[in-house]
Amino acid sequence: MLTKRIIACLDVKDGRVVKGVQFIDLVDAGDPAELAARHALSGADEIVLLDITATHEERGTLIDTVKRTARRLFVPFTVGGGIRTLDDATAVFDAGADKVSVNSAALRRPELIDEIGSRFGAQAVIVAIDGRRSGEGAEVFIEGGRKATGRAVVEWAREAEQRGAGEILLTSMDADGTRAGFDCELTAQVSEAVCIPVIASGGAGNAAHFSDVFLRGKADAALAASIFHFGIADARVLKEEIARAGVAMRLPC
């Protein structure tokens, strides 16, 4: 049986980890390298670093921050934000990332997914989708949730898979930072629409939320930020609680 993954997320602005609610009201959470190392040691299966203002500020990813963080890690490390070209992705891989996450640039020029996948392999390409509920479905937003696209989340997830994405990172903008639970219905819609792994993001507050998104939302992995950064949950303890709910987890020694 395949085990589910717990992923710790670092939203980075100006070289510092920040966290907000529904993409606004950001507060400082600490140094990315220190937090990444702490989460990995506590049992997180992977670390994701997202440079959340790179696209809006029209600049590249903070490569020095990526290098400094990568040196501290022994688990898979994904980096996103400001990756617009194959050269941008190459620079991030050279800085120590194992995977890249593309969002706004991929939606504007979907061929970017094909290009990165052809060079580095599908397993190295994550397409991040920020979705906000709209009727029975959800609409894709870009530029850190600032701009609506008119594209349906499920439709875009299918295209991303067809172009060679290895995973989908699905963030519910409605649930983000609320700690009230993942959007299991939206996650299940995407999980059922694609054959590649889906990472659920937005709304994690306790172990029951993770169990719910794995079982009812059919997610392959779940990502969280606030509950780790502010000492609410230790990844090792969290995984033990999820396992007791009947979800297959890779437990730390």
Side-chain angles (χ1 to χ4, degrees), residues 100-248:
V100 295
S101 172
V102 290
N103 189 333
S104 302
L107 200 78
R108 292 193 177 101
R109 194 173 70 84
E111 295 81 9
L112 179 63
I113 303 169
D114 306 72
E115 293 166 2
I116 300 173
S118 295
R119 174 72 64 86
F120 296 101
Q123 80 289 341
V125 188
I126 296 176
V127 171
I129 301 176
D130 298 330
R132 187 183 292 280
R133 283 283 192 170
S134 177
E136 294 183 359
E139 181 180 2
V140 179
F141 280 67
I142 58 174
E143 296 183 9
R146 296 176 179 85
K147 183 177 180 180
T149 65
R151 292 289 302 270
V153 165
V154 169
E155 173 198 350
W156 173 228
R158 286 188 178 128
E159 181 178 344
E161 178 183 31
Q162 292 167 359
R163 288 186 172 276
E167 295 182 81
I168 299 294
L169 170 54
L170 175 66
T171 298
S172 165
M173 293 179 60
D174 302 294
D176 179 71
T178 64
R179 304 181 197 169
F182 294 93
D183 187 333
C184 293
E185 290 76 16
L186 178 60
T187 305
Q189 286 176 16
V190 175
S191 296
E192 291 169 350
V194 299
C195 297
I196 56 178
V198 173
I199 304 166
S201 171
N206 56 48
H209 294 155
F210 284 87
S211 302
D212 199 26
V213 83
F214 288 139
L215 297 171
R216 191 161 59 91
K218 304 180 181 180
D220 298 275
L223 177 149
S226 299
I227 66 169
F228 294 131
H229 302 335
F230 301 115
I232 297 173
D234 176 282
R236 182 180 291 101
V237 174
L238 177 65
K239 291 167 85 171
E240 290 172 350
E241 291 187 40
I242 297 170
R244 283 196 289 271
V247 179

Side-chain angles (χ1 to χ4, degrees), residues 15-26:
R16 298 285 293 178
V17 177
V18 296
K19 193 56 194 150
V21 176
Q22 297 178 337
F23 288 32
I24 59 174
D25 297 330
L26 302 179

Side-chain angles (χ1 to χ4, degrees), residues 9-147:
C9 182
L10 312 172
D11 291 330
V12 174
K13 181 178 186 293
D14 300 327
R16 298 285 293 178
V17 177
V18 296
K19 193 56 194 150
V21 176
Q22 297 178 337
F23 288 32
I24 59 174
D25 297 330
L26 302 179
V27 296
D28 187 273
D31 176 74
E34 292 180 4
L35 286 172
R38 182 196 308 168
H39 298 331
L41 285 170
S42 76
D45 296 301
E46 299 184 24
I47 302 294
V48 170
L49 185 153
L50 300 177
D51 188 343
I52 60 173
T53 58
T55 297
H56 180 65
E57 295 171 0
E58 299 183 348
R59 58 170 174 79
T61 309
L62 297 171
I63 294 297
D64 287 343
T65 300
V66 174
K67 288 180 178 178
R68 194 163 57 84
T69 304
R71 285 196 293 265
R72 304 280 298 273
L73 292 178
F74 54 89
V75 299
F77 180 36
T78 297
V79 174
I83 299 173
R84 301 178 184 85
T85 66
L86 179 59
D87 286 344
D88 291 337
T90 300
V92 169
F93 284 122
D94 288 345
D98 301 292
K99 309 176 190 179
V100 295
S101 172
V102 290
N103 189 333
S104 302
L107 200 78
R108 292 193 177 101
R109 194 173 70 84
E111 295 81 9
L112 179 63
I113 303 169
D114 306 72
E115 293 166 2
I116 300 173
S118 295
R119 174 72 64 86
F120 296 101
Q123 80 289 341
V125 188
I126 296 176
V127 171
I129 301 176
D130 298 330
R132 187 183 292 280
R133 283 283 192 170
S134 177
E136 294 183 359
E139 181 180 2
V140 179
F141 280 67
I142 58 174
E143 296 183 9
R146 296 176 179 85
K147 183 177 180 180

